[in-house]
Amino acid sequence: MDETFTYKAPLFKNERTTVERVEKFISENYFKDCNLRGRLYGRSYPVHVKHCDFGLDIVTFHDAVEALSTRGAEVGVGFKFGPTWTTHWFQIDVSLPQNISSKSKIVLRFDPNCEALLWSADGQPIKGLSPDFGRTDLIISTSPTVQRFYIEASCSDRSGDGDGNALGPVKMDKIFELKRCELAEYNAAIYDLIIDFELLLEMSKMLPKEGARRYQALYTANDMINCLVVSNFSLDAQTQCHLQAKKFFCQPNGASQMTLYAMGNCHIDTAWLWRYRETRRKCARSWSATLRLMEKYKEMKFVISQAQQLVWLKECYPSLYKDMQKFALDGRFVAVGGAWVEMDGKFA
């Protein structure tokens, strides 16, 4: 027989073993030397960092820049700062090697181990950073000129700083550490594949065991792993696997399937496990990160439900407020709810 034989693994493989295989293939903690996530970043390059401590004061961008120019101290990865609720500003100067291709994607990776807001050199808030969400990257220009950024770090976690748990008393002497600060080559195709695998993995865990769709999702993920590994993660295999996942996601799941719509929202408590004044900065961090997502995903819509927080944004971050207005005119930032300040409601 001249017919080419293509091996297909059986659909009903051992479920637990296959789930663990997919988990490890995209794991942050295991086998990053050979799995998919370990290929998300390429070569890295150092950056120049200066730091200034403002204690419990919340200062303006211009005051921070002036202080950094006069008393900023050079720091690096491993630098410790704090304690809880204090404000720290960093100045980041980046310069790319001349041999980097203009087609490359380069990201600034900054992990202060706490909440932070990334600013441009001309004082525009760019993006909120939340290390516990893995949100620590910013794609930057490949221009050979020196680029400067500023980062306003707030010494607190996303859900406050309870000692041992979110609702515990605040640990006032908590110290934070600069865990990463570098430039790195970024592989957008690998990122798309990671998202594909995460969706397939969640489907294989959450869909009913009685239905075939659950196992089809797991089989598709397993088949994609085989394709990538056998080809040594070739570009053709990456494209093929992404298309395979897309085809699976587009398949109808029965004649009675429903169409679901999901809209982004972040429930920012106006006062909860952090100091009241911190809420204003939380709004800027959350919504600046949202704007970057909306620029990337043109179909994304976001709902906002607290008018008071918009007032604060207009007062404290006018450029960010104007950017949000542009998306609102396109029907992508949508006001919902009827309360000036959103409350938590419990029903008996």
Side-chain angles (χ1 to χ4, degrees):
M1 287 179 60
D2 294 329
E3 184 179 350
T4 302
F5 174 75
T6 302
Y7 171 75
K8 284 288 187 181
L11 178 58
F12 291 99
K13 296 172 69 67
N14 183 281
E15 183 178 3
R16 178 179 174 183
T17 301
T18 310
V19 165
E20 289 191 6
R21 186 189 191 206
V22 180
E23 288 175 337
K24 298 299 188 294
F25 193 67
I26 57 174
S27 173
E28 279 275 13
N29 303 312
Y30 300 99
F31 308 115
K32 283 189 70 175
D33 59 326
C34 59
N35 73 2
L36 184 66
R37 194 174 293 273
R39 298 168 187 272
L40 182 58
Y41 301 100
R43 291 175 296 179
S44 61
Y45 308 94
V47 298
H48 184 258
V49 188
K50 292 173 67 176
H51 162 265
C52 201
D53 181 351
F54 291 91
L56 294 174
D57 294 333
I58 294 179
V59 299
T60 66
F61 172 82
H62 297 291
D63 287 344
V65 170
E66 182 178 354
L68 281 163
S69 66
T70 57
R71 59 185 178 91
E74 293 188 14
V75 298
V77 173
F79 170 69
K80 291 180 171 56
F81 57 98
T84 310
W85 303 129
T86 55
T87 294
H88 299 256
W89 280 78
F90 296 85
Q91 176 183 302
I92 316 295
D93 290 325
V94 304
S95 180
L96 294 173
Q98 294 183 348
N99 61 350
I100 288 184
S101 169
S102 59
K103 296 181 180 179
S104 300
K105 285 188 180 294
I106 302 295
V107 293
L108 170 63
R109 305 183 71 195
F110 190 90
D111 182 355
N113 194 218
C114 64
E115 289 197 298
L117 179 61
L118 181 66
W119 295 74
S120 66
D122 60 353
Q124 306 302 312
I126 301 175
K127 181 180 181 180
L129 305 179
S130 292
D132 57 344
F133 273 164
R135 194 170 65 206
T136 58
D137 294 0
L138 176 73
I139 295 179
I140 67 170
S141 167
T142 54
S143 168
T145 59
V146 175
Q147 301 175 63
R148 175 168 291 179
F149 300 93
Y150 294 93
I151 293 176
E152 177 189 16
S154 169
C155 286
S156 62
D157 291 332
R158 181 170 51 90
S159 297
D161 277 297
D163 189 4
N165 63 77
L167 297 178
V170 174
K171 183 176 175 59
M172 292 300 297
D173 59 350
K174 188 172 181 179
I175 299 298
F176 297 81
E177 179 181 342
L178 182 56
K179 291 186 173 294
R180 177 178 287 111
C181 187
E182 64 182 13
L183 297 180
E185 296 173 347
Y186 176 78
N187 192 322
I190 294 293
Y191 177 81
D192 289 340
L193 280 171
I194 290 173
I195 298 299
D196 291 337
F197 276 107
E198 288 179 343
L199 287 172
L200 291 167
L201 183 61
E202 289 302 308
M203 291 177 72
S204 71
K205 290 180 177 181
M206 303 303 295
L207 291 178
K209 288 191 174 184
E210 297 78 15
R213 188 75 168 168
R214 171 193 185 105
Y215 302 99
Q216 290 168 350
L218 187 58
Y219 170 81
T220 300
N222 188 67
D223 199 41
M224 289 165 59
I225 293 176
N226 291 339
C227 177
L228 289 166
V229 171
V230 169
S231 70
N232 196 25
F233 296 85
S234 70
L235 294 178
D236 286 343
Q238 292 176 31
T239 301
Q240 177 184 334
C241 289
H242 184 55
L243 292 175
Q244 182 179 358
K246 184 177 180 180
K247 180 180 178 181
F248 176 80
F249 295 140
C250 291
Q251 289 174 348
N253 187 24
S256 62
Q257 75 173 22
M258 298 178 291
T259 299
L260 301 179
Y261 296 92
M263 284 157 282
N265 174 254
C266 48
H267 174 80
I268 305 174
D269 291 272
T270 299
W272 191 39
L273 299 177
W274 46 81
R275 295 189 172 186
Y276 176 63
R277 65 179 188 174
E278 190 65 32
T279 307
R280 300 186 182 214
R281 296 202 288 186
K282 280 183 172 290
C283 292
R285 291 193 289 260
S286 297
W287 289 338
S288 59
T290 297
L291 287 175
R292 303 292 80 79
L293 288 172
M294 295 177 79
E295 289 169 352
K296 181 177 181 180
Y297 302 104
K298 304 303 181 183
E299 70 280 9
M300 177 180 171
K301 292 189 177 183
F302 193 86
V303 297
I304 46 180
S305 52
Q306 301 192 69
Q308 178 59 59
Q309 294 178 358
L310 289 173
V311 172
W312 285 336
L313 202 73
K314 185 177 182 180
E315 293 174 352
C316 303
Y317 304 91
S319 64
L320 186 57
Y321 183 80
K322 288 181 180 179
D323 289 341
M324 291 175 63
Q325 283 183 309
K326 296 175 185 176
F327 283 96
L329 289 173
D330 290 337
R332 297 180 61 195
F333 252 111
V334 183
V336 296
W340 191 261
V341 174
E342 185 176 313
M343 75 294 291
D344 285 326
K346 293 186 178 180
F347 300 93

